[in-house]
């Protein structure tokens, strides 16, 4: 076959990239040819500008969620027992004792009365430690908030209960449990909140 003058003949012995490797040989990968390097500049090297990292995208602050409110129907005489059962259930389901605050609107809880017999300083030190369930009168001014607040509506005037329920709701971080007469609690809670 005659050679066409426009197509030069390439011999196998000439190095260079091949479209199809010869039998038993692997095709070489073409390597980039380094271009001319710029002449070095006298003096210290200038630092490359580093682009600023993008600002993190944060969602707008959400309004704090209102605590969930649960009502456990109980007569005034049984409100303390219902509150104690609610606390037991909370602890049994994994709630930490320091997360729970129990308030009474009438007669003091027996635990609170017992602890107060050792003095106010000792009683409030337990409150401040926040490592156990704390029992107090709903009208106490010194109470701090906790994730769960249980209110035993075991007496007290309507005005006292009307003040206690919104205060308990403000102290509750996640859950407010109210134990008492449903009709009374609902009517006082709806007018108080």
């Amino acid at each position: 076959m005659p050679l066409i003058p426009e197509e030069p003949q390439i011999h196998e012995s000439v190095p260079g990239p091949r479209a199809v490797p010869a039998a038993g040989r692997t095709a070489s990968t073409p390597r980039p040819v380094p271009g001319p390097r710029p002449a070095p500049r006298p003096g210290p090297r200038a630092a490359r500008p580093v682009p600023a990292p993008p600002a993190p995208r944060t969602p707008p602050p959400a309004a704090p969620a209102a605590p969930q409110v649960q009502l456990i129907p109980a007569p005034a005489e049984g409100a303390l027992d219902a509150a104690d059962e609610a606390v037991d259930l909370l602890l049994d389901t994994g709630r930490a004792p320091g997360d729970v605050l129990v308030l009474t609107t009438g007669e003091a809880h027996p635990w609170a009365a017992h602890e107060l017999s050792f003095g106010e300083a000792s009683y409030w030190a337990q409150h401040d430690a926040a490592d156990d369930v704390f029992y107090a009168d709903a009208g106490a001014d010194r109470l701090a908030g906790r994730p769960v607040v249980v209110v035993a509506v075991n007496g007290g005037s309507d005005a006292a209960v009307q003040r206690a329920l919104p205060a308990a709701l403000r102290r509750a971080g996640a859950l407010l449990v109210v134990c008492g007469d449903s009709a009374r609690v609902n009517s006082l809670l709806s007018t108080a909140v």
Side-chain angles (χ1 to χ4, degrees), residues 97-155:
D99 287 353
V100 182
L101 173 65
V102 180
L103 305 175
T104 56
T105 60
E107 187 177 320
H109 190 281
W111 182 91
H114 173 74
E115 291 302 318
L116 278 166
S117 70
F118 297 107
E120 292 264 337
S122 170
Y123 175 75
W124 288 108
Q126 290 178 20
H127 170 268
D128 296 340
D131 57 1
D132 202 357
V133 177
F134 190 77
Y135 297 84
D137 181 81
D141 293 330
R142 200 172 153 182
L143 296 169
R146 295 217 179 161
V148 179
V149 177
V150 179
V151 179
V153 183
N154 62 332

Side-chain angles (χ1 to χ4, degrees), residues 81-99:
D81 291 335
D84 286 341
E85 288 177 23
V87 169
D88 289 343
L89 181 62
L90 288 163
L91 298 177
D92 289 345
T93 57
R95 191 58 84 164
D99 287 353

Side-chain angles (χ1 to χ4, degrees), residues 15-45:
R18 300 169 194 235
V20 179
R25 292 188 182 175
T26 59
S28 62
T29 305
R31 296 182 185 213
V33 177
R37 293 183 182 205
R41 294 186 203 167
R45 286 187 177 195

Side-chain angles (χ1 to χ4, degrees), residues 55 130 179:
C179 304

